[in-house]
Amino acid sequence: MFTLPQEESRAPATGLGSASTRDSNYGDGLERERSRKPDQKLPEFCAVGDPAAMFSSNNSYLSSRGGIIKWFWDSAEEGYRTYHMDEYDEDKNPSGIINLGTSENKLCFDLLSRRLSQSDMLRVEPSLLQYPDWRGHLFLREEVARFLSFYCKSPAPLKPENVVVLNGCASLFSALATVLCEVGEAFLIPAPYYGAITQHVCLYGNVRLVCVHLDSEVTGLDTRPFQLTVEKLEMALQRAHSEGVKVKGLILINPHNPLGDIYSPGELRDYLEFAKRHELHVMVDEVYMLSVFEKSAAYCSVLSLEGLPDPQRTHVMWATSKDFGMSGLRFGTLYTENRDVATAVASLCRYHGLSGLVQYQMAQLLQDRDWINQVYLPENHARLKAAHTYVTGELRALGIPFLSGGAGFFIWVDLRKYLPEATFKEEMLLWRCFLDNKVLLSCGKTFECKEPGWFRLVFSDKAHRLCLGMQRVRQVLEGKSQAAEARSSRQSQEPRSQHR
């Protein structure tokens, strides 16, 4: 079991390795996409061509669009469905699957249930039962503007007329892609990335993603693994243009999922300046902004920057699914100074809106600054820190390199040495070994990582499940090590036998 550690002033290390790790580091029901069946390849939605044209469906009941939508469900859900059919329960199913693959915060239900059960959360009046302004009730948008102004440290108060609320960031990605892009156009996105975004931008808008592939190699003193640079953005944009793909925007995730990178103010400004030069929209997902649990990890919201390079093309999203452990409540918000974009997204909120009762609860929660600052955030950060300390300690004991930036709920784990060959087929086999041993992880292919062997491991769970899950991870990896040693021994003996 792990216990809450004492506060540490040590800054995270910056190297990549088992001894020298970078301890630095949505929202959404589709977070389960992490468990996509690894051996089923996505249609080429990240490269050239029309996704619908590349996919053929023999289903006489569905349109080609419906066939693609069904394909995503069939291929993306295997691990998650398997988990739900055999879900671990301490009393009813102790041999069931432990889920260390879905990025949810399961550490603070006690705090949330007490707060959401208080009398000020329970209110019913006629306006809450009637059709609202599709942008969201004004009382909620005013509260969101005040909340984001405070926690994003904006230089000037944010305006409620620039706020749109809807049911989660998945819907926001979908709505923004639909209103910003023509069919077949694309967004740049640094890869690895939260893989469900592929679905979010494709299923309604038929919009593609162009990967800006990052690698783990450290090339100099001032570089870090999987580092995004403007040079890489420029190269990806030129490649897309040479292949006839029109790029309309850039997607940034900060803090990053799955890498855990926290972009510095200088990096953010560089990326935004790049986008301005090429007249690209920038969608910034800040869904983990209050889940930075390392005191040494300095987080900067894009809304804190003085004078955005292109405010009319900068669109920021946030939700309660991660920072408040409410992935089932479905609340997300967009902040954009572009009134046309806000209006177009609001029009889609008639399909993705929130009930009036939930809007009232969210307003009550977001305005309770005392509870957030004095109760919830300190305790949430302490619990995240304790769980993170336990898991990273286990990984170090196994000699496993990892990256983790002190934000979010996950660790980016390097299991390349456990692959007999550096292929995604071997990565898939290792993923299945974990699942067969009743622990669900997320493999790198589902994040479009170009290097086989990286896995995302979620640590934001209760101690008993986390400890049992790590025991099962250890069993799989020790078995892999023993098998590798046996292969090596056989190979070393074969030449001697032939010589005799």
Side-chain angles (χ1 to χ4, degrees):
M1 297 293 120
F2 55 82
T3 56
L4 297 183
Q6 298 298 313
E7 289 188 4
E8 297 179 10
S9 58
R10 177 180 59 82
T14 56
L16 171 63
S18 57
S20 176
T21 57
R22 184 174 63 87
D23 283 356
S24 31
N25 183 74
Y26 151 47
D28 300 327
L30 287 175
E31 180 63 47
R32 64 196 69 164
E33 200 275 340
R34 294 285 166 249
S35 307
R36 169 160 55 86
K37 190 175 181 179
D39 57 340
Q40 286 196 259
K41 189 176 186 300
L42 283 170
E44 295 295 331
F45 295 175
C46 303
V48 189
D50 175 15
M54 292 184 180
F55 182 88
S56 62
S57 172
N58 297 322
N59 191 314
S60 61
Y61 298 105
L62 298 175
S63 65
S64 59
R65 185 170 56 238
I68 291 174
I69 292 170
K70 181 179 182 295
W71 181 91
F72 268 112
W73 173 269
D74 290 342
S75 64
E77 302 291 328
E78 188 213 21
Y80 195 74
R81 283 199 302 266
T82 303
Y83 159 67
H84 271 296
M85 289 187 293
D86 188 19
E87 186 173 345
Y88 171 84
D89 183 277
E90 188 174 11
D91 300 315
K92 298 178 182 178
N93 190 22
S95 63
I97 296 172
I98 301 283
N99 185 357
L100 302 183
T102 301
S103 184
E104 292 182 296
N105 186 348
K106 301 174 182 176
L107 294 170
C108 291
F109 176 77
D110 57 330
L111 304 178
L112 294 165
S113 62
R114 283 198 296 269
R115 182 63 191 90
L116 294 174
S117 299
Q118 291 178 10
S119 59
D120 66 330
M121 288 288 176
L122 309 174
R123 183 174 179 180
V124 179
E125 58 184 42
S127 64
L128 300 179
L129 302 180
Q130 296 162 0
Y131 290 124
D133 181 331
W134 293 118
R135 296 171 295 176
H137 280 291
L138 178 59
F139 65 79
L140 176 57
R141 289 186 287 117
E142 289 175 340
E143 211 52 67
V144 167
R146 284 191 285 267
F147 178 90
L148 294 179
S149 297
F150 182 81
Y151 289 103
C152 295
K153 298 181 173 62
S154 61
L158 301 178
K159 301 175 182 178
E161 55 264 35
N162 297 336
V163 172
V164 183
V165 298
L166 66 175
N167 62 341
C169 283
S171 297
L172 262 173
F173 272 115
S174 179
L176 279 170
T178 301
V179 305
L180 296 179
C181 297
E182 303 295 343
V183 169
E185 292 180 341
F187 285 102
L188 293 176
I189 187 166
Y193 66 89
Y194 167 59
I197 295 174
T198 303
Q199 293 167 278
H200 301 342
V201 303
C202 171
L203 294 190
Y204 282 162
N206 202 358
V207 174
R208 287 174 283 167
L209 298 175
V210 172
C211 290
V212 184
H213 282 294
L214 310 177
D215 57 62
S216 63
E217 183 182 1
V218 176
T219 58
L221 293 176
D222 297 327
T223 64
R224 62 183 185 271
F226 297 102
Q227 184 171 0
L228 176 64
T229 64
V230 171
E231 180 184 12
K232 292 173 183 176
L233 289 169
E234 293 281 6
M235 291 174 60
L237 183 62
Q238 291 173 14
R239 174 174 58 86
H241 287 167
S242 70
E243 295 175 346
V245 177
K246 185 172 183 179
V247 175
K248 291 293 289 290
L250 166 66
I251 295 174
L252 297 173
I253 306 171
N254 186 38
H256 193 273
N257 179 5
L259 297 178
D261 265 353
I262 298 176
Y263 297 133
S264 70
E267 287 174 324
L268 281 175
R269 190 168 290 279
D270 287 345
Y271 307 150
L272 294 174
E273 292 286 1
F274 157 81
K276 181 180 180 181
R277 284 196 302 276
H278 297 285
E279 298 185 344
L280 301 179
H281 290 272
V282 183
M283 294 163 55
V284 188
D285 174 2
E286 299 192 346
V287 76
Y288 290 98
M289 74 172 183
L290 297 182
S291 297
V292 181
F293 55 86
E294 287 282 7
K295 294 186 182 300
S296 56
Y299 174 72
C300 170
S301 168
V302 73
L303 293 174
S304 71
L305 299 179
E306 193 82 50
L308 290 173
D310 192 353
Q312 290 296 303
R313 289 191 177 90
T314 304
H315 319 293
V316 183
M317 59 181 75
W318 178 79
T320 55
S321 58
K322 308 302 181 183
D323 287 340
F324 284 93
M326 298 179 179
S327 53
L329 201 63
R330 315 310 305 133
F331 167 82
T333 186
L334 168 70
Y335 190 86
T336 177
E337 293 187 21
N338 189 313
R339 300 294 173 81
D340 291 336
V341 172
T343 300
V345 170
S347 182
L348 293 174
C349 286
R350 68 183 63 239
Y351 314 116
H352 302 291
L354 295 159
S355 75
L357 300 178
V358 170
Q359 292 193 45
Y360 177 78
Q361 285 183 309
M362 288 297 95
Q364 291 298 106
L365 180 73
L366 297 181
Q367 74 179 4
D368 192 351
R369 207 71 54 79
D370 288 343
W371 179 81
I372 293 172
N373 293 337
Q374 297 171 24
V375 178
Y376 180 74
L377 288 181
E379 185 62 22
N380 184 42
H381 291 166
R383 295 180 187 185
L384 287 171
K385 170 70 172 174
H388 177 270
T389 298
Y390 166 73
V391 172
T392 54
E394 290 290 300
L395 293 173
R396 288 191 181 97
L398 288 166
I400 296 174
F402 60 88
L403 304 176
S404 179
F409 310 150
F410 34 77
I411 299 167
W412 190 233
V413 180
D414 181 2
L415 300 182
R416 288 178 291 179
K417 68 181 180 181
Y418 294 98
L419 304 186
E421 297 178 358
T423 66
F424 287 109
K425 179 180 179 180
E426 291 294 339
E427 180 184 272
M428 183 242 339
L429 292 174
L430 180 55
W431 177 83
R432 290 194 181 280
C433 282
F434 286 125
L435 193 59
D436 290 343
N437 205 50
K438 300 300 184 75
V439 61
L440 176 63
L441 301 183
S442 303
C443 62
K445 184 61 177 174
T446 64
F447 302 88
E448 293 299 331
C449 183
K450 72 174 186 177
E451 301 175 8
W454 290 85
F455 283 73
R456 193 190 69 175
L457 192 159
V458 174
F459 60 83
S460 50
D461 205 343
K462 292 292 188 180
H464 65 283
R465 287 193 295 265
L466 198 56
C467 294
L468 181 56
M470 290 306 297
Q471 287 175 20
R472 295 175 180 180
V473 168
R474 178 186 287 270
Q475 289 168 358
V476 171
L477 297 181
E478 288 178 345
K480 286 286 183 179
S481 295
Q482 292 168 4
E485 290 172 3
R487 282 195 304 271
S488 178
S489 177
R490 287 195 300 271
Q491 290 169 357
S492 65
Q493 291 172 6
E494 285 173 4
R496 288 198 296 270
S497 300
Q498 293 169 1
H499 181 70
R500 292 194 191 99

